[in-house]
Amino acid sequence: MNKREIKSFLIDYNSPAELDEKYQELIQKAKEAAQKAYAPYSKFKVGAAVLLENNEIIQGNNQENAAYPSGLCAERVAIFYANSKYPNVPIKAIAVTANTDDGFIKEPIPPCGSCLQVMLESEVRYENSIQVILYGENKITKADSIKQFLPVNFNKDMLK
Ligand code: THU
């Protein structure tokens, strides 16, 4: 028997001012996207902003549906659009936040498992790490790779 310890690192900041200017802009774009979300059922409006290697920012937000499972999370809307528009451009970073009837969330929310899996695919596909910036009004959490959230993950190597 061998018990394996798996370590993961996340960095917390108190304010966007502590981050690089480009990431401050990315947070702003995620906030802007959240306000345009279509979330009449959950009233949880999520916004994502993807920074590409070509420096373009692509925004996305959750799109809900009366048939609940037909909706899609903000992160995947943004990533799939970015990948369809620029199939050869890696993703450098993604910022995510959410807006509710009480305003922007106070604590950051981690992306759901399906979104993490899609982000992981992008890291593997382009062989680059994605910076993840999770914005809450009281705290901003940053990770330097999706592997910080999914240290044990299913990827193309398992299909060999
Ligand atoms: N949602 C996202 O857009 N991203 C996530 O990572 C978690 C959840 C959306 C899905 C649904 O429209 C609403 O938030 C409530 O779950």
Side-chain angles (χ1 to χ4, degrees), residues 9-21:
F9 297 94
L10 301 173
I11 306 168
D12 291 332
Y13 300 89
N14 294 319
S15 128
E18 293 174 53
L19 292 156
D20 289 352
E21 263 180 39

Side-chain angles (χ1 to χ4, degrees), residues 3-120:
K3 190 173 181 178
R4 285 184 285 156
E5 184 181 0
I6 298 167
K7 288 190 177 156
S8 174
F9 297 94
L10 301 173
I11 306 168
D12 291 332
Y13 300 89
N14 294 319
S15 128
E18 293 174 53
L19 292 156
D20 289 352
E21 263 180 39
K22 198 70 194 170
Y23 293 155
Q24 292 181 35
E25 184 189 351
L26 206 60
I27 288 171
Q28 270 313 116
K29 295 281 184 187
K31 289 175 84 172
E32 190 183 294
Q35 282 160 310
K36 297 181 194 161
Y38 178 63
Y41 305 105
S42 71
K43 309 245 192 287
F44 193 71
K45 297 166 86 174
V46 185
V50 166
L51 175 64
L52 296 171
E53 281 291 350
N54 65 10
N55 268 332
E56 190 169 321
I57 292 175
I58 305 271
Q59 293 165 291
N61 44 39
N62 50 335
Q63 297 295 317
E64 296 187 347
N65 194 286
Y68 290 0
S70 300
L72 196 62
C73 292
E75 295 92 322
R76 276 176 289 165
V77 168
I79 291 167
F80 289 151
Y81 179 56
N83 288 164
S84 61
K85 189 172 182 196
Y86 298 110
N88 298 316
V89 182
I91 293 171
K92 245 167 55 175
I94 182 167
V96 184
T97 191
N99 192 275
T100 69
D101 291 342
D102 299 328
F104 283 100
I105 48 169
K106 303 284 178 264
E107 296 298 318
I109 47 149
C112 79
S114 298
C115 288
L116 288 172
Q117 186 67 30
V118 165
M119 291 181 210
L120 177 79

